[in-house]
Amino acid sequence: MSAAEIDFYELLGVDRGADGATIKSAYRKLAMKYHPDRNPGDAEAEAHFKAISAAYDILKDDQKRAAYDRYGHAAFQNGGPGGGGMGGQDFNDLGDIFETIFGSAFGGGAGGPGGRARPRRGADLRYDMQVSLEEAFDGKNTQIEVEVSSTCDTCSGSGAEPGTSRRRCELCHGAGKVRAKQGFFVIERPCPNCSGAGEVLESPCKPCRGEGTVDKLQTLDVDIPPGVDNGTRIRLSGKGEAGPRGAPSGDLYIFVHVKPHPVFEREGTALFTRVPISFTSAALGDTIDIPGLDGETHSIDIPSGIQSGKQLRKRGAGMPVLQGRGRGDLVVEVQVETPTKLSARQKEILCEFRETETGDECPQSRGFFEKIKEAFGG
């Protein structure tokens, strides 16, 4: 019995929607029943065992199963469905089918003429940049130096010595792929001699050793926009490593790190700071001036009777909105400072004040001690 003669699901006795565990269990039962060791000399049992093994090999793999569900047995036959079952496309191997369904991540990256591998894009690079909070506020234009793999000037990225050319690969005969038989299937892989290009160099370029790229130190201009924050990523398109044999270059990503500030802390577009005030300013009220990152002085009104930890907000005095309009807020947290050094006259005044206290001046303290009395029966 051939696996191609019957539906794989029917062969294993499972529904088309069966999960992996169900398929595995069904295969194990059938494998034990038809295993050649249990059926010595039984050619039909041996053929059945090979058929269910081939079916299980397809259905246990999510990608192969998806190809089978879409194209049936034609997905795994050389030459595909003969130009009918898949809209007239002539798939030469399983890799081509995978690439059609799942993209170039499968099938070995085929897609050039005659199934040759496409030249792969250059690698992306990362550069970590530290900026001050002031620079994050204003933005900045700066230059950086990075060593990247760049196109070779001698061969212009071709990898070939000037005056020489490429010739057809003798191993794959220019196809870029070689075939290998594995069990019931014929698998195509990129040619190991030409790496899927279908061509080899007659004489490799000496400076780049045939790679088409050399390491160079580059100076790049970087524009840091106002409002950047920790983790902001700036992309410089095409400034990454050059691709081999003239393929497109990758990108360079600038990751921004904002250094701590001695006065302000940041949360999104809001700026936070803690300001100590005297207990007389807290009791009577006051106005304090806070210099901002924008170069302006922002006046904050302190209402009388303010308590430690109270936050006051100045609208529009915070950080700029990245690639947007407007600014966040400046948030000032008040810390009431108790005096530690008093003159004799100051102590005298405070003693006079204490003699005039009724308890109504500090309602929180009065309420707390009343709760203490109630709790302990005082």
Side-chain angles (χ1 to χ4, degrees), residues 261-341:
H261 194 272
V263 176
F264 297 110
E265 296 177 6
R266 177 180 181 178
E267 184 175 328
T269 58
L271 287 176
F272 289 84
T273 187
R274 294 175 178 83
V275 178
I277 63 172
S278 67
F279 80 106
T280 53
S281 294
L284 302 176
D286 202 350
T287 298
I288 57 175
D289 292 329
I290 306 293
L293 295 177
D294 54 6
E296 298 182 7
T297 299
H298 300 281
S299 297
I300 307 294
D301 293 327
I302 307 294
S304 60
I306 196 170
Q307 303 296 314
S308 278
K310 177 68 175 178
Q311 291 185 342
L312 303 174
R313 188 177 295 268
K314 185 74 173 182
R315 301 287 182 183
M319 294 294 294
V321 177
L322 179 62
Q323 296 179 343
R325 296 182 178 180
R327 288 167 52 184
D329 299 336
L330 172 62
V331 180
V332 176
E333 183 176 300
V334 171
Q335 301 288 334
V336 180
E337 185 177 16
T338 303
T340 57
K341 294 182 180 180

Side-chain angles (χ1 to χ4, degrees), residues 307 352-370 373:
Q307 303 296 314
E352 292 177 1
F353 173 76
R354 182 167 57 185
E355 291 176 358
T356 64
E357 288 182 325
T358 63
D360 293 334
E361 299 87 357
C362 301
Q364 291 185 6
S365 298
R366 181 175 183 176
F368 174 77
F369 287 109
E370 287 178 353
K373 290 181 181 179

Side-chain angles (χ1 to χ4, degrees), residues 43-222:
E44 185 175 348
E46 181 178 356
H48 201 106
F49 177 77
K50 290 181 179 180
I52 60 174
S53 296
Y56 179 63
D57 184 66
I58 296 299
L59 299 185
K60 72 178 181 180
D61 184 281
D62 291 341
Q63 282 76 39
K64 291 181 181 179
R65 183 178 179 181
Y68 176 75
D69 288 345
R70 184 169 182 180
Y71 300 116
H73 294 288
F76 310 100
Q77 296 172 356
N78 293 337
M86 286 187 281
Q89 300 180 66
D90 184 15
F91 292 94
N92 293 320
D93 70 314
L94 177 61
D96 289 338
I97 297 172
F98 279 2
E99 184 174 1
T100 298
I101 302 172
F102 304 107
S104 61
F106 297 93
R116 298 173 187 171
R118 300 185 186 97
R120 64 184 184 277
R121 177 177 173 270
D124 293 335
L125 297 178
R126 170 175 177 150
Y127 184 94
D128 292 281
M129 175 184 290
Q130 283 198 334
V131 299
S132 66
L133 188 60
E134 289 84 357
E135 291 171 334
F137 182 91
D138 294 322
K140 65 179 293 188
N141 296 104
T142 187
Q143 289 185 330
I144 61 172
E145 287 188 341
V146 291
E147 188 173 26
V148 299
S149 177
S150 305
T151 301
C152 175
D153 293 331
T154 302
C155 65
S156 301
S158 69
E161 190 73 19
T164 66
S165 60
R166 296 175 175 271
R167 57 180 173 81
R168 191 177 70 165
C169 175
E170 295 179 357
L171 180 61
C172 65
H173 304 291
K177 293 184 177 183
V178 292
R179 293 189 174 193
K181 187 173 183 181
Q182 293 185 355
F184 285 88
F185 307 106
V186 175
I187 306 298
E188 287 189 348
R189 296 187 177 92
C191 174
N193 187 48
C194 63
S195 301
E199 298 174 331
V200 294
L201 298 170
E202 289 183 356
S203 179
C205 173
K206 291 182 177 61
C208 66
R209 299 179 299 279
E211 292 295 324
T213 60
V214 292
D215 291 338
K216 294 180 182 178
L217 187 65
Q218 291 191 359
T219 301
L220 303 174
D221 293 319
V222 180

